[in-house]
Amino acid sequence: MVQAYILVQTEVGKAAAVASAIARLEGVVSAEDVTGPYDVIVRAEAPDVDLLGQLVVAKVQGVSGITRTLTCPVVKLG
């Protein structure tokens, strides 16, 4: 299983709606509103890197109100 954090920037005032919509997507473990340079942080998982990429591009980035995403794959360092 491949996991990643997806950092999401949204249009002003859209963070709660974006987090709620993303949380309903298959493969999303959690979606939380946060403060700072990003508005929502998502934890996602998929069986492999290709399917994770499809989740991000086809599903997450398709949610209305998102302006930018940054995907950070989780690695095991030891």
Side-chain angles (χ1 to χ4, degrees):
M1 189 68 65
V2 178
Q3 299 177 335
Y5 288 98
I6 306 165
L7 310 179
V8 181
Q9 291 178 334
T10 69
E11 297 171 4
V12 175
K14 300 286 185 174
V18 167
S20 178
I22 291 173
R24 292 190 296 270
L25 297 175
E26 185 177 344
V28 171
V29 176
S30 64
E32 304 289 339
D33 300 357
V34 296
T35 60
Y38 293 93
D39 304 303
V40 177
I41 296 181
V42 177
R43 175 86 180 214
E45 63 183 19
D48 60 48
V49 173
D50 290 336
L51 291 173
L52 181 65
Q54 290 174 20
L55 169 64
V56 173
V57 174
K59 295 181 181 176
V60 172
Q61 290 180 350
V63 172
S64 179
I66 292 177
T67 59
R68 180 176 299 197
T69 64
L70 174 66
T71 303
C72 304
V74 174
V75 296
K76 307 288 188 230
L77 298 175

